[in-house]
Amino acid sequence: MTQPSSAGLPAIRRSDFPADFRWGCSTSSYQIEGAAAEGGRGESIWDRFCETPGHIRDGSSGARACDHYNRWPEDLDIARGLGVNAYRFSIAWPRIFPAGTGARCNETGLAFYDRLVDGMLERGLEPWSTLYHWDLPQALQDRGGWKQRETVDAFLAYTDVVTRRLGDRVKHWITHNEPWCTAFLGHHEGVHAPGQKDYRTALQVCHHLLLSHGRALPLIRGNVPGARAGITLSLHPILPASASAADSAAVSRHDGSRNRWFLDPLYGRGYPADVLELLGDLAPVVHHGDFEAIAAPADFLGVNYYFPEVVADAPGEGPIATRVVALPGTERTAFGWPVSPEGMVDLLLRIQRDWAPREVYLTENGSTYDDLVGPDGSIVDSERRSYLARHLQAARRALDQGVPLKGYFAWSLLDNFEWAEGYLRRFGLTYVDYASQRRTLKASGQWYAGFLAT
Ligand code: IFM
């Protein structure tokens, strides 16, 4: 195999970080498991969404994905080979409750996660479980999905069953992954399941997601001795497209809807007044006691960091009236996402200054590039390797400046089903040949393993 040169990469070593730092990689159920019709799994909103031509760029679905449901021992071996000490995965709700809720859960689904968790522990991988990474049972969507307050109760019933079953071994629980995406990509922009396009619905969905998070925390703690529980948000530093007063006002509005809309209620301040004023009667219905529930103290905040957003004033573009723009001359990944390790430092410092979470984990960070397989089968993904090394260096700078950063999870262990992009975007440290299901560690994965061995 071609051995990639590490020349030009920043000097950074594992020993530059505290000894108890969590080093991991992340995945999610729908993106890797496949086996959509195996083990009594019910239909999810993503199964249904993928059926409509035009929803997924390459016309694919997660029906087979990485076949992780059947190949998980090999995948956990790869994670162990990297030298990580933690592994973040998500549980497919439709494997536990095929019809979303009800008196009986699916024992085969629970037994799968039993084996998976035991497999992690046998390999020295601390399990970090996400309860909701976007695969809602379709049966619940048929009754209105997250727009309905009843879905909060269904989530609590699911959480209760899963945490009772796995809580003797899984101590780290993340309620939701990136509620912004569920709410706004799924219910306003319509590019994610369930494909709705209604801003008012998106805001109500968002409220129910946050409420279900807050109400789940005491439940998890009651079921899991020694539990550590939190939520993972996708957060962005927001920058102005120009020095104009209009663009700097746009930054504040955009930050309000993208970052503060989540962090303010989670840290006990309710929804930001400036955004509520912009929303007017689009604002979600909030019941008495909801904000107290949402603000239940979490043990940590999970931050998924990918890129800063540059915004311009855009009168007429909805109540927030901002537009994300691409500044010329910016380094970008194949997705067009700007690359800014310094943005990650700025974001982490800002979170600490304004909300001061007890502990912060980078629960996702990663990049997609057009990986080429060499004649000898190797994948020399120098750009991803450089992205990873530079973001680890940025993590170190954030620690130096006082951020209580306790861990870093690379996205992702494997190439996988990248939602509306299908299999056209690869984020893995491991290359997956989907036809043969052969896995090959990329140069970035080799570099991460080398880094973790220092
Ligand atoms: O693949 C996704 C993941 O499911 C959620 N966070 C962002 C990743 C890359 O787009």
Side-chain angles (χ1 to χ4, degrees), residues 12-36:
I12 181 91
R13 292 174 308 180
R14 179 183 191 154
S15 52
D16 295 332
F17 290 80
D20 62 353
F21 204 76
R22 295 313 202 288
W23 293 105
C25 43
S26 291
T27 59
S28 89
S29 47
Y30 190 75
Q31 292 181 273
I32 65 167
E33 282 182 6

Side-chain angles (χ1 to χ4, degrees), residues 226-408:
R228 315 272 307 148
I231 189 169
T232 277
L233 304 177
S234 49
L235 299 169
H236 303 261
I238 314 292
L239 306 168
S242 76
S244 72
D247 284 350
S248 89
V251 165
S252 170
R253 296 195 302 276
H254 198 81
D255 176 60
S257 67
R258 207 66 170 80
N259 298 323
R260 289 185 283 122
W261 188 256
F262 297 85
L263 287 160
D264 276 1
L266 287 168
Y267 287 89
R269 299 178 203 161
Y271 291 126
D274 57 333
V275 182
L276 281 174
E277 193 178 326
L278 294 169
L279 295 177
D281 68 2
L282 290 173
V285 175
V286 175
H287 291 198
H288 181 73
D290 283 2
F291 285 133
E292 286 72 17
I294 292 171
D299 296 301
F300 60 84
L301 175 69
V303 176
N304 288 358
Y305 174 74
Y306 287 91
F307 56 92
E309 282 193 340
V310 179
V311 298
D313 182 38
E317 291 205 15
I320 308 299
T322 61
R323 184 177 340 113
V324 176
V325 299
L327 288 187
T330 309
E331 180 188 348
R332 291 173 189 283
T333 68
F335 228 149
W337 293 353
V339 177
S340 174
E342 204 47 43
M344 186 172 97
V345 182
D346 294 344
L347 175 69
L348 293 174
L349 288 173
R350 190 273 173 113
I351 292 171
Q352 214 45 43
R353 189 190 67 217
D354 289 353
W355 296 282
R358 298 170 183 173
E359 293 187 348
V360 176
Y361 291 87
L362 285 160
T363 39
E364 284 182 28
N365 172 242
S367 56
T368 180
Y369 293 101
D370 298 328
D371 297 330
L372 296 176
V373 183
D376 60 355
S378 64
I379 296 99
V380 184
D381 57 337
S382 315
E383 291 161 303
R384 185 178 292 101
R385 189 183 49 182
S386 159
Y387 180 103
L388 176 60
R390 286 184 286 158
H391 283 78
L392 291 181
Q393 213 181 31
R396 180 61 255 183
R397 290 201 295 280
L399 268 172
D400 289 341
Q401 293 176 66
V403 174
L405 183 64
K406 303 292 181 188
Y408 176 95

